Each structure stands twice: as structure tokens, then as C-alpha cells.
Amino acid sequence: MPDTSDIGRTDTTAPDPARTPTVTGPHHAEPTLAHLRKIGEHNAAALREAARTLINCVREDGLVFTAGAGHSLAGVMESFYRAGGLAAVRPLYHPDLLPLHGAVASTATERTSGLAAQVLDQAAFRGGRDALVVFSNSGVNPYPVELATTASAAGSTVIAVTSPLASADAPLRAGTTLAAQAGIVLDTLVPGGDASYPPAAPVTAPLSSLANAYLWNMLLVELHDAAQREGVELPVWRSANTIGGDEANKANLAHYGARVPGLT
């Protein structure tokens, strides 16, 4: 017969700290999701303003140039030739900025003054009807800052996806910050150093790439809704791995192929 003597008994023994599970790793998902919700709410007005800039760009048959360095190039990749993404995107790229081509060298390249003007010139950036989106978490190095100042001087609106909080915790290698030079700031609210775990003394789990992708997606949502309201046909990519996807993309390739070399 089973022993039922403990049924209903309240155990008042203090838990053994050595055997009590610690709230760690897997539970970090919720603070991360909370951060994404926070930046969505924080940037609501800026996202609407940025969508207004992009819809004007599309209406005038301009291009949305996107740029970044180091791991911020992940934001550029997310913006370009992506299923569900905007077709009027011209990515700015220099191989020396990519860590896969030399990690330490990519850091040095981002700190090189004059490269931004060179990259913009090679991409035939003329300003005016074109817009520029720059992804840079700290936003203090010459490359992202000079992209913003050069594009602004050419008459383009600059949208920065950056963190003024991280900028305040970094050396001002360009004398100013991307956020200070941009017309519109989408604030990732990422702390200096980027890491987010453990909360008390973070050393791992960087937030910026997640925040960049999330804010870009939110911008696409705002852009879609604005286009629907105003009757603007928004050029978007269909997945090439769906039936009819290649056929649906032909018009975008024909229209933007000559101005966006990376498409072909």
C-alpha cells in the first residue's frame, strides 16, 4: 500500500540554496522581447516620420541607400533583396568593412576618415530624391558619421538606426555622432557595449542586431500602411522560393537593375 502520510502536509523546511534553480539563460528571452516592445513604443513617432521619407522617395522614383559597418552590415543585408522587403534599396558596401574579410581590419576601416565619401561617390549617390539609412550602434566612428554629413549636405534625409545611449559611452572618434547628424533617429536603446546578459554585469547576448532588424521591419510596416492610405504602389520583393516568385520579381529587376548593381 502506498504511503500517504505526507499528503496535505506543508513543508516548512527552508530551501537549500545549492539545490534551488537559478533564473538564468532561457529566461533571458523575456527581457529581450520586452526590450523590442520598448523600442517599438519609443520610436512610434520617428517610425512614422521615417516612413514618410521613404514613401516620398519611392514616389519620386528615388533609391533608399542603406549602410553600416561591422555587424551593423547585418541591418544592410536585411534591407536588401529580401522576401517582403523594399525593392528600391541600394546597399552601400566596402569589403574592408566586413569582419569576415578581416575582423581587426574592419574595425580600423570604420575609423578611417574619407571612406564614406568614396563609397557614396562609387555608388553614384547624388542626394535629393534619394534617402540614406545608416545602421550603427555606437554611431561615433568616421564612416557612419561622415555618411550622414555627406548625404545631408547633398540634400538627402538621413535616417539613423543607432543608440545615443551607446554613443555617450564611446569615444567620439569623429568629433560628433551619427544621431546628432541624422534627420531622423530610430533609437535602439541599446546600452554601451551592446551586451545584455547577465543583467547586473552584461558580457554576452548583444542586442543591436536584433534591434536593427526589428526597427527595419517596423519601418516596412509603417511604409506599407502609408502606401495603402495614399494609393502608392510599393515595390516589394516576393520570395524566389515560392511558386510565381521569380515572375513577380521581374518588374522590380527590370526597373532597378541598372541603378542597383548588386541585383545582377
Side-chain angles (χ1 to χ4, degrees), residues 115-193:
L115 180 61
Q118 176 187 330
V119 169
L120 286 168
D121 184 63
Q122 290 176 345
F125 181 86
R126 296 293 178 264
R129 65 180 181 174
D130 298 326
L132 174 66
V133 179
V134 183
F135 297 91
S136 179
N137 187 56
S138 65
V140 296
N141 287 313
Y143 181 68
V145 170
E146 291 176 10
L147 283 172
T149 56
T150 304
S152 294
S156 284
T157 298
V158 176
I159 300 169
V161 186
T162 188
S163 171
L165 182 62
S167 299
D169 200 31
L172 295 180
R173 296 190 181 91
T176 183
T177 67
L178 172 61
Q181 299 303 318
I184 301 170
V185 175
L186 300 180
D187 189 348
T188 64
L189 300 176
V190 172

Side-chain angles (χ1 to χ4, degrees), residues 67-77 110 135-138 161 208-209 212:
H71 286 88
S72 291
L73 281 166
V76 178
M77 278 292 297
E110 186 181 4
F135 297 91
S136 179
N137 187 56
S138 65
V161 186
S208 63
S209 293
N212 287 346

Side-chain angles (χ1 to χ4, degrees), residues 39-40 43-56 58 64-66 75 78-79 84-86 89 131-135 157-161 184-186 211-227 229 234 236:
I39 63 177
N43 289 286
L47 283 164
R48 288 192 295 270
E49 187 180 0
R52 167 62 43 204
T53 294
L54 297 196
I55 201 168
N56 288 339
V58 170
V64 179
F65 287 74
T66 60
E78 188 66 18
S79 74
L86 183 65
V89 167
L132 174 66
V133 179
V134 183
F135 297 91
T157 298
V158 176
I159 300 169
V161 186
I184 301 170
V185 175
L186 300 180
N212 287 346
Y214 179 73
L215 283 171
W216 178 255
N217 266 6
M218 294 300 291
L219 179 52
L220 292 179
V221 168
E222 290 286 345
L223 181 59
H224 173 272
D225 288 351
R229 288 192 301 269
L234 203 61
V236 295

